[in-house]
Amino acid sequence: MTEIQFLEILQNHKEMIIHRWFDRLSQHYPGFYDHEFIMKETYNLFQFMLDIEIPVESHTHFANIPTLSEQCFQQKIPVDHIILFNQLWTDTLLFFVEQHEHGKIIPIKLIRTILQRVFEFERCFVIHYSKFTNELLEKQEKALAELHEARLTVVG
């Protein structure tokens, strides 16, 4: 079998893999997430994982990381949830490979390539998410400093 055929196997089982991932996520954070938003992004991430012929930096989903991280930040999704998302992806993918009849022959190189994409996505996502967090902290610190200065002016 070729890599393309293995990728087709994964693509053909997309619904099962995604729903297993979402069920596991829901066990960790019951009722926390907007199902529609999460599922839309999950399908995008799944496609990103399998589009191994497209370099990570050139993929449209990768280019969407700043927007996606801002949306997650605005929705107050904690960064530890994002990390767990990817851990669950890794585990779900490996579970599928382990359980599927072709799992014994799917090349480890292909699995490594897919997982590297997931890890790179996570790394860049966390970088952008941290940027929004730091910007918010700087605004708050500035507001506190201005408030403190205004109080000193009133007292003085």
Side-chain angles (χ1 to χ4, degrees):
M1 282 189 143
T2 66
E3 274 191 357
I4 300 295
Q5 290 170 315
F6 291 121
L7 291 171
E8 286 174 4
I9 290 170
L10 292 171
Q11 188 71 37
N12 291 338
H13 291 85
K14 171 174 57 178
E15 294 296 323
M16 183 196 69
I17 293 168
I18 288 175
H19 287 284
R20 177 176 169 77
W21 172 84
F22 187 77
D23 289 345
R24 297 204 49 225
L25 177 67
S26 297
Q27 289 171 359
H28 285 275
Y29 307 115
F32 190 86
Y33 290 101
D34 173 351
H35 184 266
E36 186 177 322
F37 173 75
I38 289 295
M39 291 309 279
K40 175 182 170 261
E41 292 309 322
T42 301
Y43 280 93
N44 291 337
L45 180 60
F46 189 87
Q47 198 56 52
F48 169 76
M49 285 188 333
L50 298 188
D51 287 341
I52 63 173
E53 74 283 354
I54 302 172
V56 169
E57 304 79 24
S58 302
H59 199 282
T60 56
H61 192 61
F62 190 80
N64 192 41
I65 288 176
T67 302
L68 179 60
S69 62
E70 184 174 15
Q71 288 173 333
C72 290
F73 180 78
Q74 297 299 330
Q75 292 181 18
K76 297 182 177 13
I77 296 175
V79 73
D80 62 300
H81 288 209
I82 305 303
I83 293 168
L84 182 64
F85 289 176
N86 283 347
Q87 289 172 346
L88 292 175
W89 263 121
T90 300
D91 188 60
T92 301
L93 179 62
L94 293 175
F95 178 82
F96 172 79
V97 169
E98 180 180 72
Q99 299 299 314
H100 193 270
E101 62 190 80
H102 296 293
K104 305 291 186 258
I105 57 174
I106 294 178
I108 193 71
K109 180 181 177 189
L110 176 61
I111 299 302
R112 182 183 301 121
T113 299
I114 292 171
L115 292 178
Q116 285 172 337
R117 293 175 74 82
V118 172
F119 299 148
E120 183 63 12
F121 180 88
E122 176 186 39
R123 186 185 73 75
C124 290
F125 186 96
V126 169
I127 287 170
H128 285 280
Y129 192 94
S130 295
K131 181 184 115 195
F132 292 116
T133 302
N134 291 337
E135 287 173 0
L136 178 63
L137 288 172
E138 287 173 13
K139 286 178 187 175
Q140 289 176 340
E141 287 174 1
K142 183 179 178 185
L144 283 173
E146 289 171 357
L147 184 60
H148 181 70
E149 194 166 312
R151 285 184 178 166
L152 289 177
T153 302
V154 169
V155 171

